[in-house]
Amino acid sequence: MTADSPSDLNGTLDAIWVYPIKSCAGLSLREAELTDTGLAYDRAWMVVDSQGEFVSQRELPRMALIQPSFKLGQLVLRAPGMLSLHLALDAAEGPARVRVWDDEVDAFDMGDTAAQWFSDFLGADAPAHLKALRLIRFDPEARRRCDPRWTGDDAGFAQFADGFSLLVASQASLDELNARLGAAGQAPVDMRRFRPNLVMGGWGAHDEDRCGPVVIGEGEGSAEIVPVKPCSRCPIPDIDPDTATPGHAVGDALRTYRQDARVGGAITFGMNAIVRRGDGVVLRVGQPVRADLRFD
């Protein structure tokens, strides 16, 4: 795809989301800086147990209720019944070694105050091994490479995301799901259930599944990302982001039409992507996005 060639898919960047703390609530932004590991501050922090293993809404659904914001050089965290926790964006305490899925990575512990805040909010109803929690920050000097079985010749990197730099979804994909939920007598859901970073408007349902590299923006200020792996879905999309209550309607609906042979028949929604070009580029809601369909 060249700069002046027509594209199969043309649309706009409808939404930008970052999730500063892995598995906590996301933050909708009008613009965000792209880095080689994804959006700035996306999954830069993570909650771990006493063994340094990451925890998520799979074990602790109440993580969905922890709402981040950025203010005056700080990450501010709020949760029901808790005083807000303020963390300087450049703060870190002692070194740590932690595990996210199969990767052990260097990180920094965020100290006892943050650990107590998370333990107090999440630990009360948690299993015994999850009552003492700590907040960890990714070491910016570390390099966590995405799985080369999916990235091929492109070198992709991530911080504490499950495995890839970005997650891409289209608004039409959500609309398709909601139509099916409605037909089954279920309430619609919003995109927060699927935790994408970039939401594409003007594409067809699940066009992100079958497209090649995606150009965002125009001219020298554009960026290029590459969808590489369908995003297999766990129970998290069935957790209500407003109440942290688990359900089953979303998973039930997806199982009727979203099994993907590329990942062993797992249920998928959205595409994991890596950054090919654009480190330091600021992405903005409303920018044009274009891609060609992939036939392979």
Side-chain angles (χ1 to χ4, degrees):
M1 181 171 59
T2 62
D4 56 355
S5 63
S7 301
D8 297 326
L9 302 174
N10 293 279
T12 58
L13 181 56
D14 271 10
I16 298 172
W17 287 86
V18 297
Y19 307 86
I21 301 176
K22 183 178 181 68
S23 219
C24 292
L27 184 59
S28 178
L29 301 176
R30 297 297 300 175
E31 61 181 43
E33 181 182 352
L34 187 66
T35 75
D36 66 350
T37 62
L39 298 179
Y41 298 116
D42 185 60
R43 280 89 168 189
W45 293 267
M46 181 173 73
V47 181
V48 300
D49 65 15
S50 59
Q51 303 302 310
E53 295 277 349
F54 87 98
V55 298
S56 74
Q57 290 181 39
R58 298 169 185 84
E59 303 85 21
L60 299 172
R62 278 166 58 84
M63 293 182 76
L65 303 180
I66 298 174
Q67 181 63 59
S69 62
F70 295 124
K71 184 176 181 180
L72 300 176
Q74 293 183 320
L75 174 65
V76 181
L77 303 175
R78 293 181 171 84
M82 301 288 291
L83 295 175
S84 59
L85 177 65
H86 294 246
L87 302 170
L89 290 177
D90 59 355
E93 295 198 11
R97 185 79 173 166
V98 298
R99 178 180 291 273
V100 51
W101 295 112
D102 294 330
D103 296 329
E104 287 192 9
V105 297
D106 291 325
F108 292 102
D109 189 280
M110 294 299 295
D112 291 341
T113 299
Q116 192 64 56
W117 193 91
F118 279 88
S119 298
D120 287 348
F121 182 66
L122 297 172
D125 300 323
H129 71 288
L130 295 179
K131 289 188 178 295
L133 302 168
R134 300 200 71 84
L135 183 65
I136 301 297
R137 179 167 187 168
F138 196 86
D139 181 349
E141 299 300 318
R143 302 297 280 168
R144 181 176 170 234
R145 184 163 183 176
C146 304
D147 190 338
R149 291 175 298 178
W150 292 95
T151 61
D153 294 334
D154 288 300
F157 299 93
Q159 295 196 67
F160 287 137
D162 277 352
F164 296 89
S165 316
L166 297 160
L167 181 61
V168 178
S170 67
Q171 181 60 42
S173 301
L174 181 67
D175 295 341
E176 167 72 11
L177 170 63
N178 280 329
R180 291 171 180 264
L181 286 170
Q186 301 290 339
V189 297
D190 64 45
M191 193 63 89
R192 290 179 298 164
R193 299 281 186 132
F194 296 98
R195 305 175 67 80
N197 294 115
L198 305 176
V199 180
M200 307 305 185
W203 288 11
H206 303 291
D207 276 345
E208 62 271 26
D209 288 5
R210 43 190 173 264
C211 74
V214 181
V215 175
I216 306 172
E218 297 177 301
E220 294 183 0
S222 66
E224 186 176 9
I225 65 172
V226 185
V228 292
K229 182 180 183 289
C231 184
S232 303
R233 288 299 172 173
C234 65
I236 288 179
D238 267 312
I239 297 173
D240 187 325
D242 293 319
T243 66
T245 303
H248 58 82
V250 173
D252 289 349
L254 291 174
R255 272 187 286 275
T256 66
Y257 74 111
R258 288 298 303 162
Q259 293 179 318
D260 195 316
R262 292 175 292 179
V263 285
I267 297 167
T268 67
F269 188 102
M271 285 290 289
N272 293 294
I274 59 173
V275 180
R276 175 176 284 175
R277 174 174 56 82
D279 186 8
V281 168
V282 175
L283 304 184
R284 295 179 174 85
V285 170
Q287 284 182 306
V289 294
R290 60 190 181 94
D292 286 336
L293 294 173
R294 187 183 65 241
F295 299 97
D296 56 19

